[in-house]
Amino acid sequence: MLKRPSILVLGAGYGGLMTVVNLQKVLGTDAADITLINKNEYHYESTWLHEAAAGTMLSEEVRYDIKEVIDSVKTKFVQATVEEIDVVGKRVLTDSGEYTYDYLVIGLGFEGETFGIEGLDKYALSIANVKAARYIREHIEYQFATWSTDPVKDDSRLTIVVGGAGFTGIEFLGELANRVPELCKEFDIPREKVRVICVEAAPMVLPGFDPELVNYAVGHLEAKGIEFSIGTPVVEATPEGVKIKKGDDQFEFIKAGTVVWAAGVRGSSVLEASQIESMRARVKVEKDLRAPGFPDVFIVGDCALMINEETNRPYPPTAQIAMQQGETIAKNINALIKGEDTAEFVPDLKGTVCSLGEDDAIGVVFGKKVTGKRASFMKKMIDNRALFMVGGAKLVMKKGKFNVL
Ligand code: FAD
Ligand code: NAD
């Protein structure tokens, strides 16, 4: 009897989990051995991390047990941290042993990109995973608590700088705009003492997004006391705050107790250290999502780089694309096992909705602009749909967002 092929999936984010649940559906009974390796025994919704970081949602609410959504008969789950990927030797080293494979799927997700800017990796916080998000929440609370008890009132403790006005920065600001008044009440702090400043390098907020929607978002956030410094890149971070560039040889220092860096992402450093060629830790994948030169290795989600031929620019790394890639990879592995041809991955982009706190949002959905409560409702439905695709109605009932206003 021939040995069953073994499929190793690294990472239980959107891409990894969608690959596994779809493999479970498409593979015939006993067609392969599936192993899923993830750092934690839980998956976390990366798309909700800004809420956990601001403290408008508990970090426990953002995550759920992986074993709840996979079929333990068909898939073996291993909680371990991947330390090295050796695609030449076809083995993966983890902190709890070595794993070999016939087919490998790498879905280790994103890390914050600091572009080598001095001090950022040391002094800025990044909304990179669920533990980092909880740390940000606790750091902000600590700053507020210390200000209110310290006889020497250093108001810069109450200044929060958010680097980057991309979707992550804006969604985080939307949550902070609602959270700051709550924190002021909790710690007896006058609201006017608190400054939340978003620093963006590009000449506009949400560069490239619809200008009318951008104006709506900025108006909404400014009305809640958020300040913007646009066209002023952060050039350095220190323990006291950040230095921003305001023009040729003109700089300003913003003293701040909290600096959150939300100015872009890169792929996994573990993948970057492997033999596969990558750019900012992302692999420019073949049309069927395989790694060039390694026909038994697929890359899913934020570790994959794909060029949109219409714009000649990379597709943005999103959960939407990661989930769709997971479906294609499952079908392609099934095809390879059966000796059939693989299919090309074609993203089916439905739009983008950016939340501005729990009750407002902006977006373009199926080509139509949406704002306000309608957009916010759509955002929650998108979140619920993602849960449904991984864990069905049961997961939606357990973790879904039903606080529709
Ligand atoms: P991830 O979701 O990052 O999952 C990676 C998994 O790998 C994690 O479980 C991690 O623990 C695990 N892992 C990492 N390293 C190791 C290791 N060494 N060993 C073992 N396991 C490891 N996209 C959208 O489409 N819509 C949105 O509304 C949206 N909102 C966002 C909001 C925020 C605040 C952020 C930060 C991102 C948002 N995104 C959104 C982008 C989206 O979250 C990512 O594109 C998506 O998470 C990528 O999925 P992934 O499976 O590649 O990786
Ligand atoms: P991003 O790359 O989309 O935005 C980063 C922002 O930081 C840019 O506006 C950039 O100009 C700015 N920046 C870069 N260097 C800077 C500097 N030195 N100083 C100040 N600003 C600087 O990254 P992101 O917002 O982290 O998003 C990552 C990915 O996740 C994207 O693909 C995004 O589409 C996706 N995402 C989607 C949603 C959503 O759909 N609702 C929400 C969050 C994130």
Side-chain angles (χ1 to χ4, degrees), residues 194-211:
V194 182
R195 284 185 77 194
V196 181
I197 311 160
C198 176
V199 180
E200 167 58 49
M204 70 181 283
V205 163
L206 294 176
F209 203 52
D210 181 277

Side-chain angles (χ1 to χ4, degrees), residues 115 117 164 166-168 171 199-201 207 233-234 261 263-265 316-317 352-354:
F115 308 104
I117 298 169
F167 287 110
T168 300
E171 290 201 324
V199 180
E200 167 58 49
V234 171
W261 189 241
V265 293
T352 302
V353 183
C354 172

Side-chain angles (χ1 to χ4, degrees), residues 54 187 247 265 311 317:
F187 294 103
V265 293
T311 59

Side-chain angles (χ1 to χ4, degrees), residues 322-398:
M323 295 183 81
Q324 293 176 11
Q325 288 176 331
E327 285 181 273
T328 299
I329 289 174
K331 284 184 196 150
N332 281 347
I333 292 178
N334 188 34
L336 290 176
I337 291 172
K338 288 174 158 173
E340 295 168 1
D341 289 340
T342 57
E344 185 178 322
F345 172 68
V346 183
D348 175 18
L349 302 181
K350 299 180 189 338
T352 302
V353 183
C354 172
S355 64
L356 303 170
E358 90 149 350
D359 52 356
D360 210 338
I362 52 169
V364 179
V365 181
F366 296 117
K368 289 215 163 61
K369 293 184 208 179
V370 279
T371 57
K373 291 200 189 323
R374 200 160 147 248
S376 180
F377 173 77
M378 282 185 177
K379 180 86 172 95
K380 286 170 187 145
M381 291 309 108
I382 294 166
D383 290 349
N384 290 346
R385 180 175 178 271
L387 292 171
F388 183 80
M389 287 174 77
V390 174
K394 200 173 147 206
L395 188 63
V396 180
M397 293 313 291
K398 190 164 179 197

